[in-house]
Amino acid sequence: LVPGVNPQLKFGVGLLPQAAPVTFSVTLESNDTDTEIFTKTVFKGDNWIDYSLDLSAWEKRKVRIMFKVLSHTPSVALWSSPRIVESKRRGKLFCIYVVDALRADFCEGFSTFRGRENDTPAISNLARQGAQFTNTLANAPITKYSVATLFTGLYPSHNGIMNYQRIPDDILTLAEVFKENGFVTASFLFNSNAGRMRGFHQGFDFLFSTERLSREARSLMQEDVDTIYGENPSLTSGGMINEFLFDFIQTHQEDDVFLYLHLMDTHAPYFPDEEFLREFYSSMSKRGLAVPTDPVNLLNELKFTQRPSYSPKDHLSEEALLELYRGAAQTADKHLQRFTDFLNSEGRGDETTIIFTSDHGEHLNEHPEIGLFTHMHPMLLEVLRIPLIINSPSLVGEGRIISKPAQLADVMPTVLDLAGITYNPAQFDGVSLLLLMAGEEHNYFTRRPIVSQSSPF
């Protein structure tokens, strides 16, 4: 039955790379009458094309919608998320916003790093308008295990990632649940360990990863991004939080949407915007160290941070590297502000739930005997302690600071509660934080264990 208020048929079409041309068509069958309302021949693969068709001529009528494809050469044709919506409807937006390797003590309003609070006003503002969990731990020190828990509500030893290095197809993901409940689902990410090769594509209608986002960033930026950002032009938040993402949200403004954003500013070798490099340059000069002439040389110099056999003090001072990490956190904050400003300008602020967090923290040489500026092993608190902010203006009381222990495994049941989606609590290792967000006190949250796991690699 077609809705009675300006109904629109929305869908996407696409081909696999190198696929032969395919003609897509949509036909409506009603009262023994067939009406073709769409036809399009697609010649090039590796791209999705979205369409919205007016169904006002069929308001309040029963129809059968036939999606057809025709090709004179064997090919693979793809349809994306066909659905009927009322055009005046404003959809709900749920967003998981992950900044890779971001420590809680580099976010304003959480604990401080060596007595100094970092200046991250967007993160602080998000917390003031929602619920801030000041004692949150990741369930693993590495991305692939941690994101698996975020997506499933299950510990790494329970969701299959530790045995298979990917989550099996029969493990239900957060994106799959949202998709089953009529949401358009999309993943924007710069880390392959949070993507398809780990099984995290399950349930997503749209997958935008590094290559596509890098290409879109190049088309949107005036500068030569290769010159500015070296061999990783898209890894700053500016490569994702831009008109390409904004256009996607606007295209689906009448749909309920679930977004997963995974950014890399604070992941080694750290990617601060130029305006945040000043403190780094100043620290380098005060230590009598050579100042890199441009960010390309800077990033190349810092690749040692990914090789544990190297000592950071052989290359850069600890203080200088800390300033670089601090600038990367401020860069992430700057672009979070751009994201929330866009939502507010579109009138979406009161309809958007944002879960801001990280997959793990970062060891910043607190233990010199280890000598690392990185994460992974060993499982130190510096690597496990992360920020968690849940901002949902229509559902959560503002400015609630919660010190009870929380974990990434709690995110999935919490988000499902906020979305009004029913589930069996026994299927998760985590529990919903909604009662804490409502101001209720439960000793369970103080007594329960928080489990973090990893394995040798």
Side-chain angles (χ1 to χ4, degrees), residues 237-284:
S237 292
M240 180 187 297
I241 310 301
N242 53 38
E243 280 69 22
F244 180 66
L245 171 63
F246 298 162
D247 285 348
F248 179 88
I249 295 174
Q250 288 175 325
T251 298
H252 297 280
Q253 62 181 327
E254 295 156 3
D255 301 313
D256 293 331
V257 176
F258 170 70
L259 286 180
Y260 178 71
L261 310 182
H262 192 117
L263 304 112
M264 294 289 282
D265 302 277
T266 46
H267 189 287
Y270 315 137
F271 293 91
D273 281 355
E274 284 192 279
E275 64 190 277
F276 300 112
L277 288 172
R278 296 168 189 163
E279 288 296 324
F280 174 78
Y281 290 144
S282 174
S283 182
M284 293 279 286

Side-chain angles (χ1 to χ4, degrees), residues 102-113 115-129 131-134 276 325-326 329-334 336-337 356 386-389 400-401:
L102 177 63
R103 291 171 54 132
D105 52 8
F106 277 75
C107 299
E108 185 179 338
F110 289 82
S111 58
T112 60
F113 181 79
R116 177 181 173 185
E117 187 168 66
N118 201 20
D119 184 21
T120 55
I123 295 173
S124 178
N125 187 55
L126 196 71
R128 282 195 299 270
Q129 297 175 356
Q132 176 183 4
F133 293 83
T134 59
F276 300 112
Y325 182 85
R326 187 180 305 280
Q330 291 173 326
T331 296
D333 183 79
K334 165 190 168 182
L336 172 65
Q337 185 66 61
F356 179 88
I386 57 174
L388 176 61
I389 298 169
R400 188 168 298 282
I401 298 176

Side-chain angles (χ1 to χ4, degrees), residues 1-246:
L1 182 65
V2 177
V5 181
N6 298 321
Q8 304 287 313
L9 173 63
K10 292 177 175 287
F11 58 89
V13 300
L15 302 178
L16 293 178
Q18 312 304 321
V22 171
T23 297
F24 294 82
S25 65
V26 179
T27 300
L28 263 61
E29 298 180 357
S30 177
N31 297 327
D32 299 323
T33 301
D34 295 350
T35 305
E36 186 176 78
I37 61 173
F38 172 83
T39 182
K40 174 71 175 180
T41 300
V42 178
F43 296 92
K44 185 178 180 181
D46 195 27
N47 195 23
W48 283 106
I49 309 171
D50 292 324
Y51 293 96
S52 180
L53 307 181
D54 183 14
L55 297 185
S56 57
W58 289 270
E59 286 183 4
K60 298 182 180 180
R61 294 168 58 184
K62 288 186 177 181
V63 300
R64 175 176 295 178
I65 305 175
M66 305 296 292
F67 297 89
K68 304 176 183 179
V69 293
L70 174 65
S71 178
H72 299 291
T73 304
S75 188
V76 176
L78 305 172
W79 294 92
S80 170
S81 198
R83 62 216 177 272
I84 298 177
V85 301
E86 297 178 345
S87 62
K88 291 185 178 180
R89 177 183 183 274
R90 178 76 79 171
K92 294 178 288 186
L93 177 61
F94 283 77
C95 177
I96 306 290
Y97 195 115
V98 171
V99 180
D100 202 301
L102 177 63
R103 291 171 54 132
D105 52 8
F106 277 75
C107 299
E108 185 179 338
F110 289 82
S111 58
T112 60
F113 181 79
R114 298 181 183 174
R116 177 181 173 185
E117 187 168 66
N118 201 20
D119 184 21
T120 55
I123 295 173
S124 178
N125 187 55
L126 196 71
R128 282 195 299 270
Q129 297 175 356
Q132 176 183 4
F133 293 83
T134 59
N135 189 17
T136 304
L137 296 181
N139 297 107
I142 56 176
T143 297
K144 61 183 176 181
Y145 290 178
S146 191
V147 173
T149 293
L150 180 66
F151 277 7
T152 65
L154 297 170
Y155 296 142
S157 59
H158 292 167
N159 59 36
I161 190 71
M162 295 183 75
N163 293 327
Y164 306 108
Q165 300 304 302
R166 58 179 286 122
I167 53 174
D169 292 343
D170 60 351
I171 295 292
L172 193 65
T173 69
L174 183 57
E176 287 178 302
V177 175
F178 270 106
K179 183 177 175 64
E180 289 173 358
N181 282 271
F183 282 71
V184 174
T185 56
S187 173
F188 292 71
L189 58 92
F190 289 146
N191 190 330
S192 59
N193 275 313
R196 182 185 296 274
M197 77 174 182
R198 302 301 178 191
F200 301 151
H201 64 291
Q202 295 174 205
F204 283 109
D205 298 312
F206 299 90
L207 293 166
F208 301 112
S209 55
T210 305
E211 182 179 355
R212 173 68 183 272
L213 294 175
S214 177
R215 185 167 66 245
E216 297 297 338
R218 287 187 174 92
S219 69
L220 292 168
M221 298 175 70
Q222 299 296 321
E223 314 96 314
D224 182 349
V225 292
D226 284 324
T227 300
I228 294 176
Y229 299 120
E231 63 186 37
N232 294 294
S234 64
L235 294 185
T236 70
S237 292
M240 180 187 297
I241 310 301
N242 53 38
E243 280 69 22
F244 180 66
L245 171 63
F246 298 162

